[in-house]
Amino acid sequence: MTVRTRFAPSPTGYLHIGGARTALFSWLYARKHGGSFVLRIEDTDLERSTAESVNVILEGMSWLGLNYDEGPFFQTHRFDRYAEVVEQLLAEGKAYKCYCSKDELEVMRAEQMARKEKPRYDGRCRQRDLPSGEEAPYVIRFRNPEEGEVVVDDLVRGRVVFANKELDDLIIARSDGSPTYNFTVVVDDFDMGITHVIRGDDHLNNTPRQMNILRALGAEPPRYAHVPMILGEDGQKLSKRHGAASVTDYRDQGFLPEALLNYLVRLGWSHGDQEIFSREEMFQLFDIADINNSASALNMSKAFWLNQHYIKTLPPARVAEELSYHLGKLDVDPTTGPDLVEVVIAYQERAKSLAEMAQGSLFFYREFEQYDEKAAKKNLTAAIATPLRALRDQLATVEWSDGAIHQAVEAVAAAHELNLGKLAQPLRVAVTGAGVSPPIDVTVRLIGRERTLARIDRALAYIG
RNA sequence: GCUCCCAUCGUCUAGAGGCCUAGGACGUCGCCCUCUCACGGCGAAAACCGGGGUUCGAAUCCCCGUGGGAGCGCCA
């Protein structure tokens, strides 16, 4: 049997980080087994679904490199099919029309709660089939078995048993005729031949109902794998409040997709003590059996550590591709300064995010407004004016290479009986405006001769 | 309230009855390297939720408790 997995987000917002991980697991599982990964957009909630959300999800998936083999399928395009299945269930007596009003249901639930019972539909319309020609509005409910139990043999949870009497007759079609989630999922998973449903923990309780519907349709349910949820850094449920909740946020914070994927795959899944996983290794090593049972909290510092790892180890040209996005956000025209690959090489060991890298390399592309106050006060002193002037003269004629620049700084420092640092740091402040940058020779070289000389002049003027 | 799920360092996790004096990673704290910031190297502190069983032996199995979470919608 060929493995077929799916990712089925609802387009009501952004691509959630938890959703992204579920997608990753599903994608990995399909890829590992040479199967297919299907993308399905669950947009049956006409009220909340938007086209923008669909785009955000699609963009996020493509940024992460989670390529799907089929889809995106839209549930709103399949309403005829759902209606057909509803009719079938109705005809077979496996579903029935329910004329209860929302008010009536509310009262019923309130009474049940008062009796400390689980609020559930009591099936009062099971026997209330009105003769045809009725005009009262109705919904369609699935006739859930009243006896017995449903066993979910979950790939990560193990055997979970639900008593049918705990389940009620859920609505499969609204009064306007539109199908509901628990129903469309079932029809789609069935029609699309999904063999493994990998999804969030929060769906575990829905699973027995879905299995019952599936069986009513004469289908054998797929295998299920319910993965634990992802919590915010504070251990609380993830929300916009605490930190990045959407894939877009991570991108904007300067993450490389390689890093985010690696971070995500290790959240709730492990392969011994290994921390770093290339895509190929993920395909090879991923196994549902190694997924954890408990929820995991986000740890941004670890995510940044991984990000830094990839910034350091990926080909600089690859990092440069992503860097240009961040430079663009800062209104930098990359043609006004050094090659991005050079910038990446200079910064790959000193940036834990691309946003930071872009921010830190601004002085390569445009003049800085003013000196960092502390750095200028400490380094741009009257005493340094003479050596700095001498250095300027050297840099005006020296060969423009790291080695030659370094030698010039060293020579001038020695001539004035200064440690290298005593001259390098003032130079750094002069050419970058601040006390932090890549090695001084590299920094100067990338800034370029013309800009360097002008900035030293500016510093000399500042010293006065 | 009812049903279901979960529980190892601050965090991510290893651990499938003896290999555990509980391992790794991030972070934290020292020290080294050093032109700044980093990178890197070395080292340290830091956990089996509690109670009962089962067993010669339990982080690992069972039960109870406690604590967290999810579901109980004409949302997905």
Side-chain angles (χ1 to χ4, degrees):
Chain A
M1 177 178 65
T2 312
V3 167
R4 291 173 63 81
T5 62
R6 44 66 155 189
F7 176 50
S10 64
T12 52
Y14 44 92
L15 176 54
H16 191 273
I17 197 71
R21 190 192 56 170
T22 305
L24 171 61
F25 285 176
S26 302
W27 177 75
L28 285 176
Y29 194 72
R31 289 283 169 277
K32 181 191 172 74
H33 294 281
S36 294
F37 176 51
V38 179
L39 177 63
R40 182 171 76 220
I41 305 294
E42 311 224 318
D43 55 353
T44 52
D45 183 351
L46 281 359
E47 305 275 300
R48 300 195 299 151
S49 298
T50 66
E52 297 95 272
S53 290
V54 173
N55 286 333
V56 169
I57 290 166
L58 260 28
E59 271 174 37
M61 302 256 317
S62 109
W63 181 68
L64 285 170
L66 301 180
N67 52 323
Y68 36 90
D69 304 292
E70 292 171 38
F73 297 113
F74 292 83
Q75 293 191 318
T76 44
H77 297 173
R78 292 175 43 79
F79 276 21
D80 288 351
R81 170 60 181 155
Y82 304 135
E84 182 188 346
V85 180
V86 169
E87 280 312 315
Q88 181 192 329
L89 290 174
L90 232 29
E92 292 171 353
K94 292 169 178 171
Y96 60 94
K97 295 174 180 177
C98 166
Y99 297 89
C100 296
S101 69
K102 287 185 185 181
D103 290 346
E104 187 177 352
L105 294 175
E106 221 164 276
V107 170
M108 180 189 75
R109 277 194 277 262
E111 287 172 358
Q112 288 167 330
M113 297 278 257
R115 269 180 271 130
K116 303 198 183 226
E117 285 170 15
K118 181 176 182 171
R120 56 195 293 285
Y121 182 65
D122 61 8
R124 60 183 64 172
C125 283
R126 280 188 170 209
Q127 316 302 336
R128 211 189 342 182
D129 266 355
L130 263 52
S132 55
E134 76 285 331
E135 57 294 311
Y138 61 86
V139 299
I140 313 284
R141 286 184 185 272
F142 174 68
R143 194 185 295 271
N144 196 77
E146 291 169 283
E147 303 293 324
E149 48 191 28
V150 185
V151 176
V152 181
D153 194 8
D154 196 90
L155 260 12
V156 345
R157 303 285 146 164
R159 186 185 153 93
V160 185
V161 183
F162 295 86
N164 267 324
K165 64 177 195 298
E166 292 295 333
L167 276 23
D168 62 357
D169 294 345
L170 82 176
I171 294 173
I172 59 177
R174 303 184 180 92
S175 46
D176 66 0
S178 66
T180 58
Y181 166 76
N182 275 111
F183 180 65
T184 57
V185 165
V186 161
V187 174
D188 286 348
D189 285 343
F190 176 41
D191 285 353
M192 295 173 190
I194 302 303
T195 58
H196 298 260
V197 172
I198 301 173
R199 72 204 335 183
D201 218 347
D202 46 340
H203 290 290
L204 183 56
N205 286 296
N206 286 327
T207 307
R209 305 164 180 284
Q210 294 178 190
M211 288 174 77
N212 280 338
I213 298 178
L214 231 18
R215 290 196 170 120
L217 257 27
E220 195 43 40
R223 297 307 305 271
Y224 293 95
H226 287 96
V227 311
M229 56 185 296
I230 296 178
L231 274 20
E233 288 205 83
D234 53 2
Q236 296 300 113
K237 192 174 175 178
L238 207 48
S239 78
K240 284 270 185 188
R241 285 267 164 69
H242 22 302
S246 90
V247 169
T248 318
D249 291 340
Y250 283 85
R251 183 181 191 188
D252 288 343
Q253 280 190 49
F255 278 92
L256 243 16
E258 287 84 347
L260 187 54
L261 239 33
N262 196 149
Y263 178 69
L264 253 21
V265 83
R266 279 287 288 107
L267 219 47
W269 175 82
S270 62
H271 180 73
D273 284 339
Q274 190 170 341
E275 296 288 353
I276 307 295
F277 296 89
S278 65
R279 271 169 211 253
E280 287 63 35
E281 284 176 307
M282 289 183 199
F283 294 153
Q284 274 180 297
L285 304 173
F286 181 77
D287 193 338
I288 293 179
D290 296 319
I291 294 179
N292 250 183
N293 305 37
S294 49
S296 34
L298 247 23
N299 180 184
M300 291 309 285
S301 54
K302 182 164 185 179
F304 276 115
W305 171 75
L306 273 166
N307 200 39
Q308 185 165 35
H309 169 82
Y310 281 99
I311 289 174
K312 280 189 301 198
T313 55
L314 246 25
R318 162 71 192 116
V319 179
E321 289 173 26
E322 292 288 325
L323 177 62
S324 69
Y325 167 81
H326 290 88
L327 248 13
K329 280 185 33 175
L330 294 172
D331 282 326
V332 167
D333 174 0
T335 63
T336 61
D339 190 282
L340 287 187
V341 173
E342 293 270 20
V343 174
V344 171
I345 292 169
Y347 268 100
Q348 57 187 359
E349 293 195 340
R350 38 181 54 78
K352 58 188 197 310
S353 83
L354 297 169
E356 188 183 305
M357 189 184 286
Q359 190 65 45
S361 54
L362 279 177
F363 62 80
F364 287 132
Y365 299 94
R366 64 164 83 123
E367 293 308 310
F368 50 87
E369 296 289 313
Q370 54 194 25
Y371 297 108
D372 174 82
E373 205 175 313
K374 268 180 75 180
K377 193 176 177 200
K378 187 175 178 203
N379 296 289
L380 299 182
T381 60
I384 208 68
T386 305
L388 206 50
R389 197 167 288 121
L391 182 55
R392 184 209 187 280
D393 293 342
Q394 289 281 306
L395 291 177
T397 57
V398 85
E399 178 199 308
W400 208 247
S401 69
D402 290 353
I405 293 168
H406 189 82
Q407 269 178 21
V409 180
E410 228 166 27
V412 172
H416 292 80
E417 296 185 329
L418 295 169
N419 292 330
L420 180 61
K422 292 287 186 215
L423 182 57
Q425 198 55 13
L427 176 60
R428 172 171 285 116
V429 177
V431 299
T432 70
V436 178
S437 85
I440 194 62
D441 44 3
V442 175
T443 302
V444 166
R445 189 190 99 236
L446 291 181
I447 288 172
R449 196 195 305 269
E450 199 182 323
R451 266 190 180 133
T452 298
L453 298 181
R455 288 181 187 173
I456 294 177
D457 289 338
R458 175 179 171 185
L460 290 168
Y462 172 86
I463 294 169

